[in-house]
Structure formats: structure tokens, C-alpha cells
Amino acid sequence: MQLVNTAEKETPMQWSLLEDFDPLVRYDTLDELGKLEPATLAQHAVAVVARLEDSVDEVRKQALKTLGKLEPTTLVQHADAVLAMLEDCPVRYWALDTLSKLEPATLAQYAGALLTKLEASDSRVRSAALETLARLEPATLAEHANAVLARLQ
């Protein structure tokens, strides 16, 4: 599936594919959206965020991966929706990966939620949480050092 990348050729039908009954079509549409330039993708970010509520894990994962291709200044507008996905076990690794794209100063406000994922049963989630926390400014990371160490023991 190839989506058109120019505004004058876009049709509402192309974006309605995000609502298609077939999860593979929704997945493929998100994949194609992720190939757009970040500025063009930003125009469709709300529709991508809506797919975070999809009933299919793989579609939610692809929505997170697509959001991760936004510029940090655009991604921050949707950070709360991504943060909520930390509670969605099948996709929390991808939520952490997407949050890691935020600027360190912005990421700092989510440090508490990131710390809780150091106790996840999935080692990939724990590693991703640690890697995301490592992106914090040194002073901010130092504020949370004791909590990080306590959770790693």
C-alpha cells in the first residue's frame, strides 16, 4: 500500500483506511504514514493517536512507532496519550521507545512513570525504561538516582 505524500493528492479515503475493519490495513496505513516527512505526518498525528485505542496489539504498536517519527516538538503534544500506553502490557516497550524521542527537559516530567517500569516483569521494558531515564539531564537524573538504584536491586 502506497499513500500519496502531497497535500493536493490526498483524499479522505486514504486516511479512512485507519478505520478499516481489517487490522492489517490499519497496520499498513500506519506503516505508510510513518514514511512521510515529519511535518506531513504531524498533520495526521491526531488520527494516529486514535489508533492507540485499537483492539489489536500490533496496530497499537505500529501507531506508537509512527508517533515516534514525529519531531519532538510535535510529539510532546501527544505525550500524555503515549504515556497512558505504559499501562498497556503488550505495547509498553514501544511506548517507552516513543517517549525516549522527547527532549530531555520534557522527558523529566515523566520520570516518575518511567521509574515504575524498572520493576516490570519484561526485561526489555526494564531496559527501555533505564535507557529512557538515561536521556534525562544529569541534574534531573541525579534527583532520581536513589529511586533508580532501589528498583534495580
Side-chain angles (χ1 to χ4, degrees), residues 48 52 59-69 81-82 85 91-92 94-95 98:
V48 174
L52 295 177
V59 173
R60 293 193 309 276
K61 177 178 106 173
Q62 191 62 37
L64 286 164
K65 290 171 72 174
T66 301
L67 289 170
K69 296 180 181 182
V82 175
M85 301 309 290
V91 298
R92 69 174 47 136
W94 296 103
T98 301

Side-chain angles (χ1 to χ4, degrees), residues 28-40:
D28 286 345
T29 303
L30 288 163
D31 186 49
E32 290 299 321
L33 282 171
K35 296 174 184 175
L36 296 174
E37 293 295 320
T40 304

Side-chain angles (χ1 to χ4, degrees), residues 4-52:
V4 180
N5 192 3
T6 58
E8 62 273 5
K9 292 184 181 178
E10 288 175 3
T11 66
M13 189 175 107
Q14 289 169 320
W15 309 120
S16 71
L17 294 174
L18 287 172
E19 304 287 334
D20 195 272
F21 72 92
D22 185 341
L24 185 57
V25 172
R26 296 191 305 271
Y27 179 95
D28 286 345
T29 303
L30 288 163
D31 186 49
E32 290 299 321
L33 282 171
K35 296 174 184 175
L36 296 174
E37 293 295 320
T40 304
L41 175 58
Q43 298 170 25
H44 308 288
V46 171
V48 174
V49 168
R51 295 291 20 115
L52 295 177

Side-chain angles (χ1 to χ4, degrees), residues 28-149:
D28 286 345
T29 303
L30 288 163
D31 186 49
E32 290 299 321
L33 282 171
K35 296 174 184 175
L36 296 174
E37 293 295 320
T40 304
L41 175 58
Q43 298 170 25
H44 308 288
V46 171
V48 174
V49 168
R51 295 291 20 115
L52 295 177
E53 300 296 323
D54 201 279
S55 62
V56 178
D57 297 347
E58 289 299 314
V59 173
R60 293 193 309 276
K61 177 178 106 173
Q62 191 62 37
L64 286 164
K65 290 171 72 174
T66 301
L67 289 170
K69 296 180 181 182
L70 292 168
E71 293 293 334
T73 54
T74 304
L75 178 58
V76 71
Q77 298 168 30
H78 308 287
D80 288 340
V82 175
L83 185 71
M85 301 309 290
L86 290 178
E87 301 309 314
D88 186 350
C89 205
V91 298
R92 69 174 47 136
Y93 169 84
W94 296 103
L96 287 162
D97 183 66
T98 301
L99 288 170
S100 75
K101 310 287 185 350
L102 293 170
E103 296 294 333
T106 303
L107 196 55
Q109 65 188 310
Y110 303 112
L114 298 173
L115 285 167
T116 66
K117 298 308 161 209
L118 293 175
E119 297 173 353
S121 59
D122 184 340
S123 63
R124 282 183 16 153
V125 170
R126 291 192 307 272
S127 292
L130 193 55
E131 289 174 21
T132 304
L133 284 164
R135 294 201 62 249
L136 294 171
E137 298 288 344
T140 305
L141 187 56
E143 292 174 23
H144 300 286
N146 288 337
V148 170
L149 292 172

